[in-house]
Amino acid sequence: MITFQYSHLRSVTEADVKAFDSRIARADEAIRNRSGAGNDFLGWVDLPVNYDREEFARIKEAAQKIKRDSDILLVIGIGGSYLGARAVIEFLQGVYYNGKRKNTPDIYFIGNSFNGEELKNVLELCEGKDVSVNVISKSGTTTESAIAFRIVREYLAKRYTPAELSSRIYATTDRSRGALRQMSTENGYETFVIPDDIGGRFSVLTPVGLLPIACAGIDIDALMAGAAAEREALFSAGLSNDAYRYAIVRNLLLERGKAVEVLASYDPSFRFLGEWFKQLFGESEGKQKKGLFPASVVYSSDLHSLGQFMQDGSPILFETVCTLSKPATRDLTVPFEEANADGLNYLAGEAMYKINKKAMLGTLLAHEQGGTETLLIRYDVKDARTLGELIYFFELSCAASGYLLEVNPFDQPGVEAYKKNMFALLGKPGYEEQRASLEEQLKNI
Ligand code: PA5
């Protein structure tokens, strides 16, 4: 179960939240009736109850085959075609998943940068191992992923016959358009479809996320069931549901001059959920010179780096702490030591979960005192079902929050600008005109 708490905030009252009644009603209508800006990208709303069962079964079969015949799965993709799968796998299987002894393949995420050294390092890890590839791109033309895919194909072609190589490549892409769809048809790759009405950052519960997640041995039925349960719970709670409350409170804080939301967790395996959150909210809201800047930290580690700023720095931010509300099921306790040289015997027998909780509560009070307010999102269990709930909670609150801000939460016009410059500087055909002007501008840089 996911709960949202803001009742302890000093700067936000129930009356402030109530004042959003008509705005949240409009946002809700835009989402439910598909009547707002970007309404052709609302496929994620009903996805947990309305997904392609036949394809879902094929995902499981493909995952079984990959588990049987592969030591390594290379997942090629960037942005929405990357972050969700990695976030789910790291949260549920741990940051050190690849180092575990297990009957599922190691999973490496590539094609999410232009860094050749990193790709080379991953290919070295593939030496002598059986490898499968899941290449993910809705457009089928994203440069980072396309370059990585080309390099991987060349590398694996030295090892496998063309037919075997094709049988090891799984493409997740558009139903009919794009270079990757065409290559899949020509080479006979097994394909999975990214629905037209679901944008990259809302696609973790489509085959984009589900195939890698299933390959990591995670129960994708439970993940979908959690999302479906949260969908039901939120919509049946009406306009006062927690996802909408969260959307309202973060907008209220923005109106009070808090321009940065820092998503904080006390669990290192949450780090990539923070990355996923940043894309979800950053790309959905950061437009028309509006929006909260989404940041993320993992405590207590980051208390030793950013803690000073959070306590005492520019008063531009608030925190949203995501925390496990019940004791962790896998945990350690502090052992007793006769000598007590480190002075830790006062904690002997204490579960680390409890110590972590006290750190969280102590930090919350300290930060509140320093002027940094904290919103609380609690999840009661760390499992696939609850993570499905959390994903849906954030997706719905993000859409509502974007509509409260009066932006289209489902487009991303700003991400094209750097690409145009990069293509021109790289000499991509069709960009010749811009190149000379850009090179002139670069003279002093
Ligand atoms: O959310 C988005 O739309 C982006 O982050 C895309 O997912 C990302 O740019 C990758 O695009 P594609 O899947 O077309 O390769």
Coordinates of all heavy atoms in Angstrom, one line a residue, residues 363-422:
T363 N 16.7 13.2 10.6 CA 17.0 14.1 9.4 C 15.7 14.9 9.1 O 15.9 16.2 8.9 CB 17.4 13.2 8.2 OG1 18.5 12.4 8.6 CG2 17.8 14.1 7.0
L364 N 14.6 14.3 9.1 CA 13.4 15.0 8.8 C 13.2 16.2 9.8 O 13.0 17.4 9.3 CB 12.2 14.1 9.0 CG 10.8 14.6 8.5 CD1 10.0 13.4 8.1 CD2 10.0 15.2 9.7
L365 N 13.4 16.0 11.1 CA 13.2 17.1 12.0 C 14.3 18.1 11.9 O 14.0 19.3 11.9 CB 13.3 16.5 13.5 CG 12.1 15.6 13.9 CD1 12.3 15.0 15.3 CD2 10.8 16.3 13.7
A366 N 15.5 17.7 11.6 CA 16.6 18.7 11.4 C 16.3 19.5 10.2 O 16.5 20.8 10.2 CB 17.9 17.9 11.3
H367 N 15.9 18.9 9.1 CA 15.7 19.6 7.9 C 14.5 20.6 8.0 O 14.6 21.7 7.5 CB 15.5 18.7 6.7 CG 16.8 18.0 6.2 ND1 16.9 17.2 5.2 CD2 18.1 18.1 6.8 CE1 18.2 16.8 5.0 NE2 18.9 17.3 6.0
E368 N 13.5 20.1 8.7 CA 12.3 21.0 8.9 C 12.8 22.2 9.7 O 12.4 23.4 9.4 CB 11.3 20.3 9.8 CG 10.6 19.1 9.1 CD 9.4 19.5 8.2 OE1 8.7 20.5 8.6 OE2 9.2 18.8 7.2
Q369 N 13.7 22.0 10.7 CA 14.1 23.1 11.5 C 15.0 24.1 10.6 O 14.9 25.3 10.8 CB 15.0 22.6 12.6 CG 14.9 23.4 13.9 CD 15.4 22.6 15.1 OE1 16.3 21.8 14.9 NE2 14.9 22.9 16.2
G370 N 15.7 23.5 9.7 CA 16.5 24.3 8.8 C 15.7 25.0 7.7 O 16.2 25.8 6.9
G371 N 14.4 24.6 7.6 CA 13.5 25.3 6.6 C 13.3 24.4 5.4 O 12.6 24.9 4.5
T372 N 13.8 23.2 5.4 CA 13.5 22.3 4.3 C 12.3 21.4 4.6 O 12.5 20.5 5.5 CB 14.7 21.5 3.9 OG1 15.8 22.4 3.6 CG2 14.5 20.6 2.7
E373 N 11.2 21.6 4.0 CA 10.0 20.7 4.4 C 10.1 19.4 3.7 O 10.7 19.2 2.6 CB 8.7 21.5 4.1 CG 8.6 22.7 4.9 CD 7.2 23.2 5.0 OE1 6.7 23.8 4.0 OE2 6.6 23.0 6.1
T374 N 9.4 18.4 4.3 CA 9.5 17.0 3.8 C 8.1 16.4 3.6 O 7.3 16.3 4.5 CB 10.3 16.1 4.9 OG1 11.5 16.7 5.1 CG2 10.4 14.7 4.4
L375 N 7.9 16.0 2.4 CA 6.7 15.2 2.1 C 7.0 13.7 2.3 O 8.2 13.3 2.0 CB 6.2 15.4 0.7 CG 6.1 16.9 0.2 CD1 5.6 16.9 -1.3 CD2 5.3 17.7 1.1
L376 N 6.1 12.9 2.7 CA 6.4 11.5 2.9 C 5.5 10.6 2.1 O 4.3 10.7 2.1 CB 6.1 11.2 4.4 CG 7.1 11.7 5.4 CD1 6.5 11.6 6.8 CD2 8.4 10.8 5.3
I377 N 6.2 9.7 1.3 CA 5.5 8.7 0.5 C 5.9 7.3 1.2 O 7.1 7.0 1.1 CB 5.8 8.8 -1.0 CG1 5.3 10.1 -1.5 CG2 5.2 7.6 -1.7 CD1 5.7 10.3 -3.0
R378 N 5.0 6.6 1.7 CA 5.3 5.4 2.4 C 4.8 4.2 1.6 O 3.7 4.2 1.0 CB 4.7 5.3 3.8 CG 5.2 6.3 4.7 CD 4.7 6.0 6.1 NE 5.3 6.9 7.1 CZ 4.8 8.0 7.5 NH1 3.7 8.5 7.0 NH2 5.4 8.7 8.5
Y379 N 5.7 3.1 1.5 CA 5.2 1.8 0.9 C 5.5 0.8 2.0 O 6.5 0.9 2.7 CB 6.0 1.5 -0.4 CG 7.5 1.6 -0.3 CD1 8.3 0.5 -0.1 CD2 8.1 2.9 -0.5 CE1 9.7 0.6 0.0 CE2 9.5 3.0 -0.4 CZ 10.2 1.9 -0.2 OH 11.6 2.0 -0.1
D380 N 4.5 -0.2 2.1 CA 4.6 -1.0 3.3 C 5.5 -2.3 3.1 O 6.0 -2.9 4.0 CB 3.2 -1.4 3.8 CG 2.3 -2.0 2.7 OD1 2.7 -2.0 1.5 OD2 1.2 -2.5 3.1
V381 N 5.6 -2.7 1.8 CA 6.5 -3.9 1.5 C 7.3 -3.6 0.3 O 6.9 -2.8 -0.5 CB 5.6 -5.1 1.1 CG1 6.3 -6.4 1.3 CG2 4.3 -5.2 1.8
K382 N 8.5 -4.2 0.3 CA 9.3 -4.0 -0.9 C 9.2 -5.3 -1.8 O 9.9 -6.3 -1.6 CB 10.8 -3.9 -0.4 CG 11.7 -3.5 -1.5 CD 13.1 -3.2 -0.9 CE 14.1 -3.0 -2.0 NZ 15.4 -2.7 -1.5
D383 N 8.2 -5.3 -2.6 CA 8.0 -6.4 -3.5 C 7.4 -5.9 -4.9 O 7.1 -4.7 -5.0 CB 7.1 -7.5 -2.9 CG 5.7 -7.0 -2.6 OD1 5.3 -5.9 -3.1 OD2 5.0 -7.7 -1.9
A384 N 7.3 -6.8 -5.8 CA 6.9 -6.4 -7.2 C 5.5 -5.7 -7.2 O 5.3 -4.7 -7.8 CB 6.9 -7.6 -8.1
R385 N 4.6 -6.3 -6.4 CA 3.2 -5.7 -6.4 C 3.2 -4.3 -5.9 O 2.6 -3.4 -6.5 CB 2.3 -6.6 -5.5 CG 0.9 -6.2 -5.5 CD 0.0 -7.0 -4.6 NE -1.2 -6.3 -4.4 CZ -2.3 -6.5 -5.1 NH1 -2.4 -7.4 -6.0 NH2 -3.4 -5.8 -4.8
T386 N 3.9 -4.1 -4.8 CA 3.9 -2.7 -4.2 C 4.7 -1.7 -5.1 O 4.3 -0.6 -5.2 CB 4.6 -2.8 -2.8 OG1 3.9 -3.8 -2.1 CG2 4.4 -1.5 -2.1
L387 N 5.7 -2.2 -5.8 CA 6.4 -1.4 -6.7 C 5.5 -1.0 -7.9 O 5.5 0.2 -8.4 CB 7.7 -2.0 -7.3 CG 8.5 -1.2 -8.2 CD1 8.8 0.2 -7.7 CD2 9.8 -1.9 -8.6
G388 N 4.6 -1.9 -8.3 CA 3.6 -1.6 -9.4 C 2.7 -0.5 -8.9 O 2.3 0.4 -9.6
E389 N 2.3 -0.6 -7.6 CA 1.5 0.5 -7.0 C 2.2 1.8 -7.0 O 1.6 2.9 -7.4 CB 1.1 0.2 -5.5 CG 0.3 -1.1 -5.4 CD 0.1 -1.5 -3.9 OE1 0.4 -0.7 -3.0 OE2 -0.3 -2.6 -3.6
L390 N 3.5 1.8 -6.6 CA 4.3 3.1 -6.6 C 4.4 3.7 -7.9 O 4.3 4.9 -8.1 CB 5.6 2.8 -5.9 CG 6.5 3.9 -5.5 CD1 5.8 4.8 -4.4 CD2 7.8 3.5 -5.0
I391 N 4.7 2.8 -8.9 CA 4.8 3.3 -10.3 C 3.6 4.0 -10.8 O 3.6 5.2 -11.3 CB 5.2 2.2 -11.3 CG1 6.7 1.7 -11.0 CG2 5.0 2.6 -12.7 CD1 7.1 0.5 -11.7
Y392 N 2.4 3.4 -10.5 CA 1.2 4.0 -11.0 C 0.9 5.3 -10.2 O 0.4 6.3 -10.8 CB 0.0 3.0 -10.8 CG -1.2 3.4 -11.7 CD1 -1.3 3.1 -13.0 CD2 -2.2 4.3 -11.1 CE1 -2.3 3.5 -13.8 CE2 -3.2 4.7 -11.9 CZ -3.3 4.4 -13.2 OH -4.3 4.8 -14.0
F393 N 1.2 5.3 -8.9 CA 1.0 6.5 -8.1 C 1.8 7.6 -8.7 O 1.2 8.7 -8.8 CB 1.5 6.2 -6.6 CG 1.5 7.4 -5.8 CD1 0.4 7.8 -5.0 CD2 2.7 8.2 -5.7 CE1 0.5 8.9 -4.2 CE2 2.7 9.3 -4.9 CZ 1.6 9.7 -4.1
F394 N 3.0 7.4 -9.0 CA 3.8 8.5 -9.6 C 3.3 8.9 -10.9 O 3.3 10.1 -11.3 CB 5.3 8.1 -9.6 CG 6.1 8.3 -8.3 CD1 6.8 7.3 -7.8 CD2 6.1 9.6 -7.7 CE1 7.5 7.5 -6.6 CE2 6.7 9.8 -6.5 CZ 7.5 8.7 -5.9
E395 N 2.9 8.0 -11.8 CA 2.5 8.3 -13.1 C 1.2 9.2 -13.0 O 1.1 10.2 -13.7 CB 2.2 7.1 -13.9 CG 3.5 6.4 -14.3 CD 3.3 5.1 -15.2 OE1 2.2 4.6 -15.3 OE2 4.3 4.6 -15.8
L396 N 0.3 8.8 -12.2 CA -1.0 9.6 -12.1 C -0.7 11.0 -11.5 O -1.2 12.0 -12.0 CB -2.0 8.8 -11.3 CG -3.4 9.5 -11.3 CD1 -4.0 9.6 -12.7 CD2 -4.4 8.7 -10.3
S397 N 0.1 11.0 -10.5 CA 0.4 12.3 -9.9 C 1.1 13.2 -10.8 O 0.9 14.4 -10.9 CB 1.1 12.2 -8.5 OG 2.2 11.4 -8.7
C398 N 2.0 12.6 -11.7 CA 2.8 13.4 -12.6 C 1.8 14.0 -13.7 O 1.9 15.2 -14.0 CB 3.8 12.5 -13.3 SG 4.7 13.4 -14.5
A399 N 0.9 13.2 -14.2 CA 0.0 13.8 -15.2 C -0.9 14.9 -14.6 O -1.1 15.9 -15.2 CB -0.9 12.6 -15.7
A400 N -1.4 14.6 -13.3 CA -2.2 15.6 -12.7 C -1.4 16.9 -12.4 O -1.9 18.0 -12.6 CB -2.8 15.1 -11.4
S401 N -0.2 16.7 -12.0 CA 0.6 17.9 -11.6 C 0.9 18.7 -12.9 O 0.9 19.9 -12.8 CB 1.9 17.3 -11.0 OG 2.7 18.4 -10.5
G402 N 1.2 18.0 -14.0 CA 1.4 18.7 -15.3 C 0.2 19.6 -15.7 O 0.3 20.7 -16.1
Y403 N -1.0 19.0 -15.5 CA -2.2 19.7 -15.9 C -2.4 20.9 -14.9 O -2.9 21.9 -15.3 CB -3.4 18.8 -15.9 CG -3.5 17.9 -17.2 CD1 -3.8 16.6 -17.2 CD2 -3.2 18.5 -18.4 CE1 -3.9 15.8 -18.3 CE2 -3.3 17.8 -19.6 CZ -3.6 16.4 -19.6 OH -3.7 15.7 -20.7
L404 N -2.1 20.7 -13.6 CA -2.2 21.8 -12.7 C -1.3 23.0 -13.1 O -1.7 24.1 -12.9 CB -1.9 21.4 -11.3 CG -2.8 20.4 -10.5 CD1 -2.3 20.0 -9.2 CD2 -4.2 21.1 -10.4
L405 N -0.2 22.6 -13.6 CA 0.8 23.6 -14.1 C 0.4 24.3 -15.4 O 1.0 25.2 -15.9 CB 2.1 23.0 -14.3 CG 3.3 23.1 -13.3 CD1 4.5 22.4 -14.0 CD2 3.6 24.5 -12.9
E406 N -0.6 23.6 -16.0 CA -1.1 24.1 -17.3 C -0.1 23.9 -18.4 O 0.2 24.8 -19.2 CB -1.7 25.5 -17.3 CG -2.9 25.6 -16.4 CD -3.5 26.9 -16.3 OE1 -3.0 27.9 -16.8 OE2 -4.6 27.0 -15.6
V407 N 0.6 22.8 -18.4 CA 1.5 22.4 -19.5 C 0.9 21.1 -20.1 O 0.1 20.4 -19.4 CB 2.9 22.2 -19.1 CG1 3.5 23.5 -18.5 CG2 3.1 21.1 -18.1
N408 N 1.4 20.7 -21.3 CA 1.1 19.4 -21.8 C 2.1 18.4 -21.2 O 3.3 18.5 -21.5 CB 1.3 19.4 -23.3 CG 1.1 18.0 -23.9 OD1 1.0 17.0 -23.2 ND2 1.1 18.0 -25.3
P409 N 1.6 17.5 -20.3 CA 2.6 16.6 -19.6 C 3.2 15.6 -20.5 O 4.1 14.8 -20.0 CB 1.8 16.0 -18.5 CG 0.4 16.5 -18.6 CD 0.2 17.2 -19.9
F410 N 2.7 15.4 -21.7 CA 3.1 14.3 -22.5 C 4.0 14.6 -23.7 O 4.3 13.7 -24.5 CB 1.8 13.5 -22.9 CG 1.0 13.2 -21.7 CD1 -0.3 13.7 -21.5 CD2 1.5 12.3 -20.7 CE1 -1.0 13.5 -20.4 CE2 0.7 12.0 -19.6 CZ -0.6 12.6 -19.5
D411 N 4.4 15.8 -23.9 CA 5.3 16.1 -25.0 C 6.7 16.5 -24.4 O 6.9 16.5 -23.2 CB 4.8 17.2 -25.9 CG 4.7 18.6 -25.2 OD1 5.1 18.7 -24.0 OD2 4.3 19.5 -25.9
Q412 N 7.6 16.6 -25.3 CA 9.0 17.0 -24.9 C 9.7 17.7 -26.0 O 10.7 17.3 -26.5 CB 9.8 15.7 -24.4 CG 9.9 14.6 -25.4 CD 8.6 13.7 -25.4 OE1 8.0 13.6 -24.4 NE2 8.3 13.1 -26.6
P413 N 9.1 18.9 -26.3 CA 9.6 19.6 -27.5 C 11.1 20.1 -27.3 O 11.9 20.2 -28.2 CB 8.7 20.9 -27.6 CG 8.0 21.0 -26.3 CD 7.9 19.6 -25.7
G414 N 11.5 20.3 -26.0 CA 12.8 20.8 -25.7 C 13.9 19.8 -26.0 O 15.1 20.3 -26.1
V415 N 13.7 18.6 -26.1 CA 14.8 17.6 -26.2 C 15.4 17.6 -27.6 O 16.4 17.0 -27.9 CB 14.5 16.2 -25.7 CG1 14.1 16.2 -24.2 CG2 13.4 15.6 -26.5
E416 N 14.7 18.3 -28.6 CA 15.1 18.2 -30.0 C 16.3 19.2 -30.2 O 17.1 18.9 -31.1 CB 14.0 18.5 -30.9 CG 12.9 17.4 -31.0 CD 13.5 16.0 -31.2 OE1 14.3 15.9 -32.1 OE2 13.1 15.1 -30.4
A417 N 16.4 20.3 -29.4 CA 17.3 21.3 -29.7 C 18.8 20.8 -29.8 O 19.5 21.1 -30.8 CB 17.2 22.5 -28.7
Y418 N 19.2 20.1 -28.8 CA 20.6 19.6 -28.8 C 20.9 18.6 -29.9 O 21.9 18.6 -30.5 CB 21.0 19.0 -27.4 CG 20.8 17.5 -27.3 CD1 21.8 16.7 -27.7 CD2 19.6 17.0 -26.9 CE1 21.6 15.3 -27.6 CE2 19.4 15.6 -26.9 CZ 20.4 14.8 -27.2 OH 20.2 13.4 -27.2
K419 N 19.8 17.9 -30.2 CA 20.0 16.8 -31.3 C 20.3 17.5 -32.6 O 21.2 17.0 -33.3 CB 18.7 16.0 -31.4 CG 18.5 15.0 -30.2 CD 17.4 14.1 -30.5 CE 16.9 13.4 -29.2 NZ 15.6 12.7 -29.4
K420 N 19.5 18.6 -32.9 CA 19.7 19.2 -34.2 C 21.2 19.7 -34.3 O 21.8 19.6 -35.3 CB 18.7 20.4 -34.3 CG 17.3 20.0 -34.7 CD 16.4 21.1 -34.9 CE 15.0 20.7 -34.9 NZ 14.1 21.6 -34.3
N421 N 21.6 20.4 -33.2 CA 23.0 20.9 -33.2 C 24.0 19.8 -33.4 O 25.0 19.8 -34.1 CB 23.3 21.7 -31.9 CG 22.6 23.0 -31.9 OD1 22.0 23.4 -32.9 ND2 22.7 23.6 -30.7
M422 N 23.8 18.7 -32.6 CA 24.7 17.6 -32.7 C 24.8 17.0 -34.1 O 25.9 16.7 -34.6 CB 24.3 16.5 -31.6 CG 25.2 15.3 -31.6 SD 24.5 14.1 -30.4 CE 23.1 13.4 -31.4

